Amino acid sequence: MVSERSLEVLRVIVHDYVESREPVGSKSIVDRHSFGVSAATIRNDMALLEEEELITAPHTSSGRIPTDKGYRLFVDHLSDLKPLTTAQRQAIETFLGSSVDLDDVLARTVRLLSQLTQQVAMVQYPSLSTAKVRHIEVVALTPFRLLTVVITDTGHVEQRIVEVPTEVDDDFLAELRTRANASASGLGLDAAAARLAEFSDQFVPERQAAVAAVSRALIEQVTANRQEKLIIAGAANLVRTEGDFAGSILPVLEAVEEQVVLLRLFSEMQADQHGMSVRIGRENASFGLSETSVLASGYSGAGSAVARLGVLGPTRMDYSTNIQAVRAVARYLSKSLGEN
């Protein structure tokens, strides 16, 4: 068990280390903070924190820095969230309020969040879980090249150009169009993709190779409508904090580029009672991000399920400011999407 004073010592170690990037010693704590006890007493508290693996000495005879476990305890007991300034709140409302469509508002969101936190910002496209396929169109550009179009009841349109191995005449084209709509129209996106996977079985063998090519394209288009993708901004912030990583930051940059990794991480993050999710250091090891922390919050708009936005950076980050920024931007994004 950690006493209240020891927990307060941990808090100031985290704050001072985040601010200075220098290990924190007992004398520094006594000089900078009003504990009303001697440096020897603070050293005893620090020894207990070290026994609990909440802080560690990076070098012999140095001060102490927080461990991943220490950051976790700090975040779990975080009560001093720094409110955004009036100027910051007005900037969020103005910046997001002038967006013209979904793509624009999400692009603005990540740029804004990156600027507010000086971390890598990420926003997940909302999953249109209630969307259904309204219509499928197949148009011949040449006898061996087709244009496939999928339109959902939300008005989203996806197009693909498909090369087919056999010639497609008007009768074959009409059959493709009719059977595709019979298979998928009116269905939700997952159900439509499943039906289209069996689409080629409806045709005679000599036509199945061409139909399979069309089927693959249509499934890709339906899957794209689920919007399982991220917009990312501020990757350059990782380079500015390179000193916070023990090794190369290249694996982190690669993970950021690999959206499937971050989407899987987002899907596994559990929100607390305030709607925030925080993963710290070794909690992200299975994603190759063991030296990073990820802060995320959910947002939603009219007709969409909850998606996530958040920031990624080194474990040495200003959790209080960043958590509040993520919360505020998520709240404003939900409001913006709901109004539009």
Side-chain angles (χ1 to χ4, degrees):
M1 294 292 292
V2 178
S3 68
E4 277 301 316
R5 191 180 64 221
S6 294
L7 183 59
E8 188 59 30
V9 170
L10 175 64
R11 287 195 185 103
V12 301
I13 290 173
V14 171
H15 279 299
D16 289 358
Y17 179 61
V18 166
E19 182 179 303
S20 69
R21 198 181 282 167
E22 295 293 332
V24 181
S26 57
K27 185 177 185 303
S28 170
I29 293 175
V30 170
D31 291 343
R32 296 188 60 182
H33 304 277
S34 302
F35 275 88
V37 296
S38 67
T41 300
I42 296 298
R43 282 196 295 274
N44 288 337
D45 288 325
M46 293 175 69
L48 292 173
L49 292 172
E50 195 163 9
E51 285 181 10
E52 294 290 332
E53 299 181 339
L54 298 169
I55 60 175
T56 188
H59 309 290
T60 304
S61 301
S62 73
R64 301 298 185 266
I65 66 173
T67 62
D68 292 350
K69 184 179 177 183
Y71 282 124
R72 168 50 64 193
L73 185 63
F74 170 80
V75 169
D76 288 346
H77 287 80
L78 190 58
S79 58
D80 59 339
L81 290 177
K82 301 175 185 176
L84 298 184
T85 65
T86 301
Q88 286 174 321
R89 292 182 181 279
Q90 290 175 343
I92 293 173
E93 290 183 343
T94 301
F95 196 60
L96 297 187
S98 57
S99 304
V100 297
D101 56 25
L102 177 63
D103 292 330
D104 187 35
V105 73
L106 296 185
R108 287 171 176 264
T109 295
V110 288
R111 292 203 305 274
L112 176 66
L113 190 54
S114 176
Q115 291 167 6
L116 288 173
T117 63
Q118 294 299 298
Q119 308 293 341
V120 178
M122 308 168 288
V123 62
Q124 179 185 17
Y125 265 77
S127 176
L128 303 178
S129 58
T130 59
K132 296 180 180 180
V133 175
R134 176 187 292 168
H135 182 69
I136 293 174
E137 188 58 63
V138 185
V139 179
L141 303 177
T142 72
F144 294 92
R145 177 178 290 181
L146 306 179
L147 174 68
T148 57
V149 183
V150 173
I151 305 170
T152 70
D153 60 355
T154 61
H156 193 87
V157 179
E158 281 283 336
Q159 299 183 141
R160 292 286 192 283
I161 293 177
V162 186
E163 303 285 345
V164 292
T166 57
E167 185 173 348
V168 176
D169 57 27
D170 289 343
D171 290 340
F172 186 11
L173 190 67
E175 186 181 7
L176 272 171
R177 187 183 302 117
T178 300
R179 289 185 183 273
N181 280 290
S183 295
S185 290
L187 296 181
L189 303 181
D190 288 335
R195 290 287 296 275
L196 289 167
E198 304 169 352
F199 182 45
S200 61
D201 296 340
Q202 301 176 28
F203 293 80
V204 295
E206 57 267 27
R207 287 184 169 178
Q208 287 186 358
V211 177
V214 172
S215 174
R216 285 193 297 270
L218 291 173
I219 291 171
E220 287 177 5
Q221 290 164 261
V222 168
T223 302
N225 273 282
R226 291 184 303 190
Q227 305 287 7
E228 292 297 329
K229 59 182 178 179
L230 295 170
I231 299 180
I232 298 173
N237 289 322
L238 283 173
V239 179
R240 284 194 281 271
T241 58
E242 188 171 3
D244 290 313
F245 296 90
S248 169
I249 65 167
L250 184 60
V252 181
L253 290 169
E254 289 175 343
V256 168
E257 289 183 3
E258 193 67 39
Q259 290 198 5
V260 66
V261 173
L262 297 177
L263 284 166
R264 188 160 53 87
L265 191 157
F266 266 179
S267 71
E268 293 186 9
M269 295 180 75
Q270 299 295 317
D272 62 17
Q273 67 268 32
H274 304 293
M276 281 296 303
S277 306
V278 180
R279 296 271 295 242
I280 298 171
R282 288 175 295 181
E283 296 169 4
N284 299 316
S286 61
F287 301 95
L289 297 169
S290 60
E291 292 188 90
T292 70
S293 288
V294 180
L295 320 179
S297 179
Y299 77 91
S300 63
S304 69
V306 173
R308 291 183 183 275
L309 65 84
V311 297
L312 176 151
T315 55
R316 190 194 70 86
M317 69 163 60
D318 187 344
Y319 290 93
S320 176
T321 297
N322 293 348
I323 287 173
Q324 187 69 335
V326 170
R327 276 188 191 173
V329 173
R331 189 162 55 245
Y332 281 112
L333 180 57
S334 293
K335 178 183 176 184
S336 177
L337 293 178
E339 291 175 348
N340 295 282

